[in-house]
Amino acid sequence: MSRLERMQHGTFPAPAIDLGLEISPSARLKRRLLRAVDRRVDPRLIAGLGSVYLSARARSRCAVRYDGGHWIHRYRTGTVVNTVLGGLSAEREDEKTREVFLFDYCPRPGDTVVDIGAGVGGEVRLFSRLVGPSGRVLSIEAHPATFRCLRRTVELNRLGNVTPVECAVVGTAGPVLIEDRAVDHIGNGLTTDTAHGVEVAGRQLGEILAAHGVDHVDLLKMNIEGAELAVLESSLDVLDRVDHLVVSCHDFLALRPDQAWQRTFAPVGDLLRQAGYTLRTRPEDSRAWVRCYIYASRPHRP
């Protein structure tokens, strides 16, 4: 998930409040004030206020509770779990998933979807419904706190066809460090900073698929904060078994020379073309992060 997307979902650790989607300076000030209040107020009271506000905003009942470090948002169309209160409703998450990730290919009953960088599970409910009981979803997330939200999202929504996998997908297998920003945990990426990182297992994509008996992938979604090129370069043999991909590149974040490693849009596109895919992009979209998405499909596999 991009940093802009994370700002839309909320940026405070639990128990925390993020009831709006604004990102203006005044909104950031409001968030800081809310956070200060939040430290002094019983989460049960905040949950009650949040239920009222979010129900009104979504025009559909939202029941909120705080449990075990997680905010549980129960909407009519599904349950959203996060370390922040607020963010998108279940219905809006599904709409966003269709509009952003499923722009080129929409999973069908019986499909297999592999979600690398699944976050807290914003897309997993829709993926699960689309593939149905005969399909399956492999949801992979590296950061421990984020993974706990993902696993609870799967459990509370009773997604029996989803398998959560806790690891980083990497080019070279072995332990790696992932950023450990509690305030912004959804956007934690790989790092070499031992003072601000937590060690997690790093596994190659081919090994993960083999371990879970996946021999064919209908849709591979990848959103891993700039590490996508290394993973794809080490997975060329796997791509022979992947029909469709949606890859979130992060060039829009590479504003300084030392961030050049995040400029993956062009090399990822070249790699996928050479692997036999037809590509689609969205250069006219007003959102910079959407312009950095690459949608790839094999011509003979509609």
Side-chain angles (χ1 to χ4, degrees):
M1 180 174 288
S2 72
R3 282 170 174 78
L4 177 58
E5 293 172 283
R6 295 196 304 274
M7 293 175 79
Q8 293 175 327
H9 278 74
T11 58
F12 297 146
I17 306 173
D18 179 25
L19 297 181
L21 301 179
E22 307 158 289
I23 56 174
S24 65
S26 61
R28 285 192 288 269
L29 174 61
K30 180 177 70 176
R31 288 175 176 178
R32 287 196 292 270
L33 292 172
L34 285 171
R35 190 180 178 191
V37 172
D38 193 18
R39 297 191 184 102
R40 299 171 175 82
V41 180
D42 189 321
R44 289 172 295 182
L45 175 58
I46 297 175
L49 295 173
S51 296
V52 173
Y53 178 87
L54 294 172
S55 296
R57 194 185 72 179
R59 297 182 181 179
S60 178
R61 185 174 186 275
C62 175
V64 178
R65 63 187 174 92
Y66 182 70
D67 181 45
H70 295 141
W71 288 104
I72 314 297
H73 312 72
R74 189 177 298 278
Y75 293 91
R76 179 180 57 82
T77 57
T79 299
V80 177
V81 181
N82 209 330
T83 57
V84 296
L85 171 62
L88 298 181
S89 68
E91 183 177 8
R92 284 289 296 120
E93 283 192 336
D94 290 350
E95 291 173 356
K96 179 172 173 288
T97 298
R98 287 187 184 275
E99 195 271 327
V100 175
F101 294 106
L102 307 184
F103 173 76
D104 186 61
Y105 178 77
C106 185
R108 304 167 182 173
D111 275 3
T112 294
V113 174
V114 176
D115 184 358
I116 304 176
V120 298
E123 297 80 47
V124 71
R125 293 185 316 276
L126 182 58
F127 288 163
S128 173
R129 290 201 303 272
L130 290 172
V131 304
S134 61
R136 64 183 304 194
V137 180
L138 212 61
S139 289
I140 307 170
E141 174 54 44
H143 192 273
T146 311
F147 179 80
R148 287 192 289 272
C149 291
L150 170 65
R151 182 171 56 195
R152 203 157 189 194
T153 294
V154 172
E155 293 171 351
L156 292 177
N157 287 280
R158 300 180 181 179
L159 307 180
N161 57 358
V162 176
T163 302
V165 180
E166 184 178 7
C167 70
V169 183
V170 294
T172 302
V176 293
L177 291 175
I178 189 167
E179 295 169 322
D180 194 25
R181 296 171 296 176
V183 170
D184 201 16
H185 72 98
I186 293 177
N188 285 317
L190 297 182
T191 183
T192 57
D193 185 351
T194 56
H196 299 93
V198 58
E199 186 175 281
V200 300
R203 300 166 66 185
Q204 289 186 310
L205 178 58
E207 185 272 321
I208 296 171
L209 298 184
H212 291 275
V214 176
D215 55 14
H216 179 84
V217 179
D218 296 281
L219 177 64
L220 174 64
K221 172 232 163 185
M222 185 178 296
N223 189 0
I224 50 177
E225 303 298 324
E228 51 275 353
L229 181 59
V231 171
L232 290 170
E233 287 177 333
S234 67
S235 305
L236 295 178
D237 57 331
V238 176
L239 293 182
D240 290 338
R241 296 177 275 141
V242 178
D243 289 353
H244 307 273
L245 297 95
V246 52
V247 182
S248 172
C249 299
H250 291 74
D251 298 50
F252 69 99
L253 295 178
L255 305 178
R256 303 189 310 268
D258 64 329
Q259 295 173 306
W261 60 274
Q262 288 184 301
R263 300 189 183 104
T264 62
F265 185 82
V268 165
D270 291 342
L271 181 151
L272 293 175
R273 286 190 193 93
Q274 293 171 14
Y277 290 93
T278 297
L279 307 187
R280 292 180 69 188
T281 59
R282 305 169 75 171
E284 306 302 324
D285 198 285
S286 62
R287 298 162 293 181
W289 54 277
V290 172
R291 295 197 297 272
C292 290
Y293 271 77
I294 295 177
Y295 304 87
S297 295
R298 294 194 181 277
H300 61 286
R301 296 173 180 173

